Amino acid sequence: MKEESFFEKENSIPDPWDLPLETFDVSKAEIFESNLHGEYFRRLRKESPVHYCPDSQFGPFWSITKFHDIVAIDSDHKRFSSDTNIVIGDAEPELVTPMFIAMDQPKHDVQRKAVQPVVAPTQLSELEVIIRQRVGNILDDLPENEEFNWVELVSKELTTQMLATLFDFPFEDRHLLPYWSDVATTSETVGIEVDMNKRQEVLQECLAYFSKLWHQRAAEPRKFDFISMFAHGEDTKDMINDPMEFLGNLILLIVGGNDTTRNSISAGVVELNRNPKEYEKLMSDSSLIPNMVSEIIRYQTPLGHMRRTALEDVEFKGHTIRKGDKVVMWYVSGNRDEEVIENPDAFIIDRNKARHHLSFGFGIHRCMGNRVGEMQLRILWEEILKRFDRIEMMGEPQRVLSNFVMGYSNVPVRVHKK
Amino acid sequence: MTKVIFIDHDGNNHQINATQGDSLMEVAISNNIPGIDADCGGLCACGTCHVFVEPNWLSKVGERSEMEDSMLEYTESVKSNSRLSCQIKISEELEGLTVQLPEEQY
């Protein structure tokens, strides 16, 4: 599977098979932007599945790259902490925004439970009608006979509308949500050079906007949106008094409901175009959609990693992980683990056991909005099949620069109506 | 073999002859019982093989582990007889075990 010429010719990223394992570093965001990470992780899974990188721009870190090892660490929340930082880079202490994904028990539990009902399955049937209507409107408004960016007009628009509903956010200002989401994920902590103080200024605007909403919601009876649930939650009603923690949880819910589904929506178009036989299968049998949705989420792995910090020395697979060490679980690698997933590099929409993937994480921090994300993708593809013979990709998609968000900024397409 | 009974959310009974040593989740999956997702594959790490154990069977299937408790805490519609079926091992003693399935896994 080695594609030697590709690495040297196309870019400055070295061929991973030529590098010494002692200093092997998978954390550079450019590797992911160039879509060359697959070969890097193939080498680690084969030769050093629990790997210690002694030095990187994020300092030393462990890489966990095989499926079952990732599940083991992810489930072991007593020894592998999520406290404060859950991506590879540490935020500067004054810029830390506490959020429940980056907390341990018991605080994590009470905050998560306060808002989880908004996206729990029983709530979803009510949302399904609204989503289907909106998907229909978005698809009906797409330009015909001209090329456009699928990410902007569909992926981003649909997830933004959904998020506005979950927050009961003023619909006319909804474009602020993906803007804040992108600002939040454009961070030094995931390998992107950026002015972190400017980033913080924009996020303060986000905080100011939401603080107003909080006070409105707190003065009204409780209802099923994230802000109202926090404002009326017994254990969360004082969160407004800790602005950084309020901001942190806002970022969590905005990014969680935005980037992930957005990039899965884009990835579906990309992979179906790269795999025409799979597109044929889909066109001839729409009942494959739910299974395809899981396969898209596995194949794309919208969030490439999560990071833990060891709370004590741990013997793991013949290695000693020391107290305080960073441990990075590379979901994007585990989802290609040859020993767990058959023919893992292939995109197969009717794959057996497609739900058995790592993209939502496992253990107590498992994705809270997984069913909302799956539902949006399912409805989108049901409505696409009603309207279009083909969403045709017109050129190579542009990936984003990050070792965390596995996404696309541009997927040029043309739609062919029925 | 041990006889176990799944009652799905629509009230249909599925009577299965289960292999001893398998988990109840594996029995459900290999017999295509609707309503069990088992995303993590049996590692007590996702909460999508949730079942309600008929009260008279509760003592026989054993106690929840701490991890199972943690995962069930985030499961919608959790009750005192909620269990993750991947954590129940089929044995001779469970002949006739009856469990109900929730409306949705989460």
Side-chain angles (χ1 to χ4, degrees):
Chain A
M1 293 297 281
K2 190 173 165 181
E3 293 176 58
E4 211 165 14
S5 57
F6 192 66
F7 282 94
E8 303 301 344
K9 207 164 42 180
E10 298 286 325
N11 48 65
S12 57
I13 293 163
D15 184 334
W17 298 91
D18 293 339
L19 299 171
L21 272 178
E22 301 73 52
T23 54
F24 200 84
D25 178 10
V26 289
S27 69
K28 295 187 185 78
E30 291 77 12
I31 298 175
F32 298 85
E33 184 188 32
S34 312
N35 203 19
L36 298 176
H37 54 280
E39 207 58 20
Y40 273 74
F41 287 118
R42 194 189 314 282
R43 175 136 190 238
L44 283 186
R45 286 195 304 274
K46 195 170 172 207
E47 297 179 9
S48 184
V50 177
H51 177 262
Y52 187 71
C53 174
D55 190 29
S56 77
Q57 61 181 305
F58 309 103
F61 67 94
W62 292 91
S63 280
I64 312 296
T65 51
K66 294 198 56 89
F67 195 108
H68 287 128
D69 292 346
I70 291 170
V71 180
I73 303 275
D74 222 354
S75 312
D76 194 351
H77 55 266
K78 292 235 153 85
R79 295 192 295 174
F80 294 98
S81 168
S82 293
D83 192 8
T84 310
N85 287 294
I86 46 99
V87 294
I88 188 167
D90 289 348
E92 293 294 325
E94 67 274 16
L95 297 181
V96 166
T97 49
M99 53 181 86
F100 66 78
I101 195 175
M103 290 174 192
D104 291 333
Q105 291 174 318
K107 202 172 177 189
H108 159 268
D109 295 14
V110 293
Q111 295 200 356
R112 174 175 171 142
K113 276 191 218 155
V115 284
Q116 182 170 295
V118 179
V119 287
T122 42
Q123 186 65 11
L124 296 190
S125 46
E126 291 192 25
L127 288 174
E128 173 148 1
V129 182
I130 307 173
I131 297 178
R132 193 175 296 281
Q133 202 176 14
R134 287 183 182 161
V135 167
N137 292 341
I138 290 171
L139 295 178
D140 289 337
D141 285 347
L142 291 178
E144 277 181 85
N145 305 318
E146 68 176 82
E147 192 177 307
F148 64 89
N149 181 2
W150 181 262
V151 176
E152 285 297 327
L153 294 195
V154 181
S155 314
K156 224 167 157 175
E157 185 55 32
L158 175 57
T159 44
T160 299
Q161 292 188 11
M162 182 72 224
L163 206 52
T165 303
L166 296 178
F167 277 107
D168 193 13
F169 191 86
F171 209 64
E172 63 282 6
D173 285 344
R174 66 184 185 279
H175 63 276
L176 287 168
L177 295 167
Y179 169 62
W180 289 328
S181 178
D182 289 344
V183 169
T185 54
T186 304
S187 168
E188 284 172 356
T189 59
V190 294
I192 307 166
E193 274 183 43
V194 61
D195 183 337
M196 290 297 275
N197 289 318
K198 274 214 175 109
R199 173 178 175 275
Q200 200 62 18
E201 279 171 29
V202 175
L203 294 177
Q204 288 299 325
E205 294 166 16
C206 168
L207 173 64
Y209 194 112
F210 273 102
S211 296
K212 266 193 232 164
L213 287 186
W214 175 292
H215 292 299
Q216 285 169 11
R217 302 288 147 83
E220 296 163 3
R222 193 184 87 138
K223 54 193 183 62
F224 268 82
D225 69 66
F226 287 140
I227 304 300
S228 184
M229 297 290 269
F230 268 145
H232 291 274
E234 192 48 43
D235 298 299
T236 52
K237 62 182 189 311
D238 297 326
M239 194 187 283
I240 191 73
N241 300 328
D242 186 344
M244 288 301 258
E245 185 169 305
F246 182 40
L247 177 60
N249 279 307
L250 289 170
I251 294 172
L252 166 62
L253 295 170
I254 293 173
V255 173
N258 196 344
D259 254 312
T260 52
T261 312
R262 179 202 304 178
N263 290 317
S264 297
I265 290 173
S266 303
V269 168
V270 172
E271 298 312 332
L272 286 169
N273 273 274
R274 285 178 176 160
N275 299 276
K277 277 189 185 157
E278 300 304 304
Y279 211 150
E280 289 308 319
K281 267 190 217 167
L282 173 66
M283 294 302 285
S284 60
D285 184 2
S286 63
S287 74
L288 293 175
I289 289 174
N291 205 73
M292 175 180 81
V293 166
S294 291
E295 176 68 347
I296 291 171
I297 294 168
R298 174 192 77 90
Y299 204 80
Q300 182 63 20
T301 318
L303 298 180
H305 79 268
M306 284 284 169
R307 167 265 178 107
R308 301 289 181 254
T309 308
L311 290 178
E312 56 185 83
D313 289 0
V314 177
E315 290 301 318
F316 191 78
K317 301 274 163 169
H319 302 268
T320 306
I321 296 174
R322 297 278 175 206
K323 181 180 178 179
D325 283 357
K326 285 182 184 180
V327 181
V328 180
M329 306 174 289
W330 294 103
Y331 297 148
V332 71
S333 171
N335 275 339
R336 293 289 190 282
D337 186 345
E338 304 77 358
E339 285 176 22
V340 176
I341 297 162
E342 203 183 323
N343 196 7
D345 289 319
F347 175 75
I348 304 170
I349 67 167
D350 51 354
R351 175 182 287 283
N352 193 20
K353 291 192 196 162
R355 298 194 61 86
H356 191 43
H357 63 70
L358 290 165
S359 301
F360 296 132
F362 283 118
I364 64 168
H365 294 282
R366 182 172 164 81
C367 176
M368 181 178 95
N370 57 356
R371 300 296 179 182
V372 181
E374 288 175 344
M375 183 173 77
Q376 287 182 84
L377 283 159
R378 171 174 60 76
I379 294 173
L380 174 69
W381 282 100
E382 286 168 359
E383 297 301 314
I384 287 175
L385 290 197
K386 284 181 196 165
R387 290 169 173 78
F388 302 112
D389 283 329
R390 232 0 154 246
I391 312 292
E392 185 187 5
M393 192 160 74
M394 303 304 288
E396 275 304 297
Q398 175 64 46
R399 289 175 61 96
V400 302
L401 175 71
S402 175
N403 62 30
F404 180 61
V405 173
M406 303 289 110
Y408 295 101
S409 54
N410 187 20
V411 178
V413 300
R414 186 183 277 248
V415 296
H416 301 275
K417 279 207 171 156
K418 283 200 170 194
Chain B
M1 302 298 260
T2 299
K3 185 179 79 182
V4 295
I5 298 157
F6 296 91
I7 304 173
D8 67 30
H9 193 70
D10 295 331
N12 304 310
N13 279 30
H14 305 262
Q15 190 173 311
I16 307 287
N17 286 320
T19 308
Q20 286 163 15
D22 280 1
S23 74
L24 187 63
M25 177 278 283
E26 289 166 323
V27 174
I29 293 290
S30 55
N31 289 283
N32 297 315
I33 304 297
I36 298 277
D37 288 338
D39 290 1
C40 79
L43 302 162
C44 196
C46 70
T48 65
C49 65
H50 178 202
V51 297
F52 303 111
V53 175
E54 293 282 285
N56 53 329
W57 287 99
L58 267 179
S59 59
K60 289 206 173 123
V61 296
E63 303 254 310
R64 295 180 195 160
S65 68
E66 205 180 324
M67 185 64 192
E68 189 180 344
D69 257 336
S70 282
M71 292 316 303
L72 278 166
E73 260 193 87
Y74 307 114
T75 303
E76 225 188 359
S77 69
V78 62
K79 294 184 202 162
S80 57
N81 62 337
S82 288
R83 290 297 309 267
L84 294 180
S85 56
C86 71
Q87 300 302 302
I88 296 175
K89 212 172 206 179
I90 302 299
S91 66
E92 221 172 313
E93 287 181 358
L94 296 185
E95 174 71 26
L97 171 67
T98 305
V99 299
Q100 296 208 13
L101 299 174
E103 185 175 6
E104 308 241 27
Q105 297 289 345
Y106 178 39

